[in-house]
Amino acid sequence: MITLKPIDILSEEMPTCVVLEVHPEQRNYVADNAISLAEAYDENKNHAETGKGAIAVPYAVYDNGQMVGFAMYGYFFPYIDEEDAYDNHNPIYYFWRLFIDKNHQRRGIGKEVVRQVMDIIKQKPQGDAPYCYTSYAPDNIGSKTTFANYGFKEDGRIIGGETVARYKI
């Protein structure tokens, strides 16, 4: 049974999360979990102090009680002068990270994590937004397939070298 549990840099589970690994050929596709947790901390701190940026919501992924991955979404408040605004400067949800340990891939865990995270996002817990976006390297067939199978559609843009896809919430 796949479950999600909130995690942050102060969680006792953090050391387990940061040692999870993807296959060597996947390292260019996703940040290490330590970097993701640090980004979440920084974004949440910045948002608390300024009201700008993002609210990051990170989760440890468990399979029958064993941590096997990491997922994170964000609720973004784009700056007015942001060049790469995803949705005409409206707030958006963004499926920010999907990381399944190399020893637990190809078992449908990623697909189930996307479903569970999107079930949360559809409730719009941080506020209203019409879309959830994600992005991935153009040659990352695994992410492309996983998100397309859920219903994300590429919108024709490349931002930061990554293909952009969106889902109407």
Side-chain angles (χ1 to χ4, degrees), residues 130-152:
Y131 295 102
C132 178
Y133 287 83
T134 195
S135 63
Y136 38 81
D139 62 341
N140 185 344
I141 303 305
S143 286
K144 178 179 181 166
T145 302
T146 298
F147 285 102
N149 285 343
Y150 187 82
F152 279 80

Side-chain angles (χ1 to χ4, degrees), residues 58-118:
Y59 293 99
V61 176
Y62 291 86
D63 182 12
N64 293 314
Q66 178 184 7
M67 189 184 302
V68 298
F70 176 83
M72 181 166 69
Y73 76 86
Y75 183 67
F76 283 78
F77 304 86
Y79 300 116
I80 297 303
D81 61 352
E82 191 172 335
E83 266 183 50
D84 295 332
Y86 279 85
D87 192 38
N88 197 24
H89 304 296
N90 292 316
I92 64 161
Y93 284 91
Y94 187 85
F95 202 121
W96 202 345
R97 294 285 195 275
L98 177 58
F99 186 112
I100 306 301
D101 183 79
K102 65 184 178 185
N103 297 314
H104 301 278
Q105 293 180 8
R106 300 212 171 274
R107 296 181 19 221
I109 294 171
K111 177 181 176 180
E112 176 60 16
V113 171
V114 169
R115 186 194 66 75
Q116 287 187 31
V117 170
M118 290 305 299

